[in-house]
Amino acid sequence: MAVQNGKDLLIKVDQTGEEDFVTLAGLRATRLSFNAQTVDVTSLESTGGWRELLAGAGVKAAAISGSGVFRDANTDARARQIFFDAEMPQFQVVIPSFGTVQGAFQITSIDYVGTYNGEATFDLSLASAGALTFTAL
């Protein structure tokens, strides 16, 4: 994969429940993390005392985070409503020249920050709420 522009990593949210995805407005930095818990099955019989893990076990999860400038756009209102209604709509993360990750996510935090001599910003965190799909480009 060739070098990509960071601004092309997009977080999109379904606006209508019918896979009508729009980019969350004002984001300047985004991150997608995948995690998997391990299940340790090490015993006294483990070769050389090395840890052994159970294949295919454990919980998989993904987290999305982003930060940007507050714009009070339709997508800002949608994110707030998702949080307050505890919805878990479909989100997409578009990874340039790689593909798209899609699935249900819950917004776990929204932070609004303002400084005396600066712009109003926000931080957003999301946690996966089910199986994810990956579509390669």
Side-chain angles (χ1 to χ4, degrees):
M1 174 178 4
V3 175
Q4 299 298 315
N5 196 336
K7 71 179 178 70
D8 293 335
L9 183 81
L10 302 175
I11 299 174
K12 297 183 171 207
V13 61
D14 183 3
Q15 286 287 90
T16 63
E18 298 190 18
E19 298 202 358
D20 176 27
F21 291 96
V22 294
T23 302
L24 287 174
L27 285 173
R28 296 195 290 197
T30 54
R31 175 185 299 259
L32 170 65
S33 302
F34 294 106
N35 299 289
Q37 293 177 340
T38 58
V39 176
D40 189 338
V41 293
T42 308
S43 70
L44 293 174
E45 298 166 345
S46 296
T47 305
W50 286 96
R51 177 177 71 172
E52 295 181 44
L53 300 177
L54 182 60
V59 175
K60 293 183 270 185
I64 301 173
S65 61
S67 61
V69 293
F70 179 69
R71 296 217 179 263
D72 198 25
N74 290 338
T75 55
D76 292 338
R78 174 77 171 124
R80 283 190 306 276
Q81 198 62 47
I82 290 168
F83 178 81
F84 286 112
D85 290 348
E87 291 181 49
M88 292 181 227
Q90 293 287 305
F91 281 83
Q92 287 182 337
V93 179
V94 178
I95 306 166
S97 295
F98 191 60
T100 301
V101 175
Q102 180 175 325
F105 282 82
Q106 179 180 11
I107 296 178
T108 57
S109 72
I110 303 175
D111 299 311
Y112 295 100
V113 181
T115 59
Y116 173 74
N117 196 21
E119 71 276 15
T121 63
F122 71 96
D123 296 310
L124 185 70
S125 297
L126 300 93
S128 60
L132 302 178
T133 61
F134 174 74
T135 305
L137 291 180

